[in-house]
Structure formats: C-alpha cells, structure tokens
Amino acid sequence: DDGTISNSYSTGAVTGPDEVGGLVGVNLYGTISNSYSTGTVNGNYYVGGLVGYNYGYGGYDDITNSYSTGAVTGGDGYDVGGLVGVNDGSISNSYSTGAVTGPYHVGGLVGHNYGSISNSYSTGAVEVSGNPVSGFGGLVGSNGGSISDSYSTGEVKGSSYVGGLVGYNYGTITNSYSTGA
C-alpha cells in the first residue's frame, strides 16, 4: 500500500548500515510532502538526509516541498545523497544544504537518480571519503533519469567522474546549472 507523510519532521541523528534516512529509511511507493530533517545521517549504502531509498511510480510527486539540512555520510558504501540516497521515483520543489561525503555515487541532493528531479537544489559541499571510486556531483552523483530546472552551488571534490552538477550522466538534464567551485 501507499504510505503518506506530510507536515512532518525529524531533528535527531540517525545511524545505521543500509537504507538510512533522516526521516524515512525506505519510501515505498508513498508520498512525502512539506516535511524535513535536520539531523546528521550516517550509513553505508542508500543513505539520504531525508530518505535512504525512494521507490516510486514515476510521474507522481513522491517527494515534494521537502528538505534536509544535516550532514550525510556514507562510510564505505554507495548511493549517498543530501536529500535522498537512491531515487527511483520523483522529487520536486525540494532541497538539501548539508555536506555529503562518501566513496561512490555521491550527490548534494541525490546519490543515484533513476527517476525524476525537478525544481530542486543543493548547496552543501560534496567530498570523497573512504576508498573513492566514481560519481561525485554537486546535485546528483550518478544520473540515469531526468533532471530539470534544478541547480547546485556546493563545492565538489572527488577523484573520477566529478561534476559540478552531475558526476556521471546517462540520463537527461534540462534547464539546470551549477555554480560550485
């Protein structure tokens, strides 16, 4: 069944191994709106400031009008994002401001995007940690979906496949930009 979370928040630190989020670990075909998280989040795989793994139907606003501000760290895993670790659904009108660190598919907003991102942004720094591999982006680490009308302003430091907006792209990007160093 679909779950619905609205007008909700979390301020505590969250730590776990996999599918770790500041507000929700896994959003399974549900909707999150007008919600936020401000605590730090630490994990290994699928780690996000708001949601660890966002599964979605596509075409629906699974996450909208939401944000995260805490630092996000992915130890030795992958798919680490300031807002969402992995996005298979849609994200709109949302943002993240916390610093994000990890070794693989690391993004200021989303670590790995398979779905859609629109009208969203990130301002946190993105840096390498652990044993770096590839895919570091100010907004998205690795993009196989769509990104539109979005931007990033955070500094990005990585070893390979590093981009101000997206580290590794095999999807579509429109009307988006980066001003990060």
Side-chain angles (χ1 to χ4, degrees):
D1 287 340
D2 299 347
T4 301
I5 297 172
S6 63
N7 305 310
S8 301
Y9 67 91
S10 170
T11 60
V14 179
T15 300
D18 306 326
E19 296 176 326
V20 183
L23 185 69
V24 178
V26 175
N27 181 38
L28 186 60
Y29 307 116
T31 59
I32 297 173
S33 63
N34 305 310
S35 298
Y36 67 89
S37 173
T38 61
T40 59
V41 180
N42 295 284
N44 283 316
Y45 299 93
Y46 317 128
V47 184
L50 188 74
V51 177
Y53 205 124
N54 182 47
Y55 291 90
Y57 286 120
Y60 296 93
D61 287 333
D62 303 307
I63 298 175
T64 186
N65 300 320
S66 297
Y67 67 89
S68 62
T69 61
V72 179
T73 303
D76 58 1
Y78 52 79
D79 296 346
V80 182
L83 187 75
V84 175
V86 179
N87 178 46
D88 263 337
S90 62
I91 297 170
S92 65
N93 304 312
S94 298
Y95 67 90
S96 61
T97 62
V100 184
T101 58
Y104 191 58
H105 292 169
V106 182
L109 188 75
V110 174
H112 204 147
N113 180 49
Y114 298 100
S116 66
I117 298 170
S118 63
N119 300 306
S120 298
Y121 68 89
S122 64
T123 62
V126 176
E127 295 190 45
V128 169
S129 70
N131 184 21
V133 184
S134 68
F136 304 91
L139 188 74
V140 175
S142 184
N143 178 51
S146 66
I147 298 171
S148 64
D149 304 304
S150 299
Y151 67 90
S152 65
T153 62
E155 180 180 19
V156 182
K157 294 181 180 178
S159 55
S160 60
Y161 297 102
V162 181
L165 187 70
V166 173
Y168 180 76
N169 181 57
Y170 57 102
T172 60
I173 302 171
T174 56
N175 300 318
S176 299
Y177 66 90
S178 168
T179 61

